[in-house]
Amino acid sequence: MAYVITGSCIKDLLCADGCPTDFIHPKKDEPGFEAATQLYVDPSVCIDCGARVPVCTSDSIDSVDDLPDEL
C-alpha cells in the first residue's frame, strides 16, 4: 500500500526523522526545501511500512487506499 503526504503538511520533518529508507523529501539540506509547500513521499524508496504515519503531527500521511475525499 503506497503512502502520500497531503496538503495539510506543515514541514516539521518529524515524519522524516528515523525513517529507515529516507523516502520523505525535501529535507532541510536539500535544494528547494524553503520553496516547497509540503513534503512528498518518494514511492520508489518507500517500503510501505507505515512507521511514519503515527509520528506526523498534522495527520498528513495517508495510504493511497485511505485518502480522504477532500484534500
Side-chain angles (χ1 to χ4, degrees), residues 1-2 12-13 19-20 26-27 29 32 37 41 54-55 65 67 71:
M1 157 182 4
D12 63 6
L13 290 171
C19 175
K27 303 280 190 320
D29 60 345
T37 57
V41 171
V55 299
D65 296 336
L67 282 174
L71 292 179

Side-chain angles (χ1 to χ4, degrees), residues 9-65:
C9 176
I10 59 172
K11 289 178 31 180
D12 63 6
L13 290 171
L14 293 176
C15 58
D17 294 340
C19 175
T21 61
D22 194 30
F23 73 97
I24 297 174
H25 299 280
K27 303 280 190 320
K28 284 187 180 180
D29 60 345
E30 293 177 336
F33 177 79
E34 292 301 323
T37 57
Q38 70 184 64
L39 304 176
Y40 70 90
V41 171
D42 180 346
S44 68
V45 180
C46 181
I47 59 173
D48 299 332
C49 68
R52 306 322 317 155
V53 174
V55 299
C56 178
T57 59
S58 59
D59 294 326
S60 299
I61 302 176
D62 289 296
S63 73
V64 170
D65 296 336

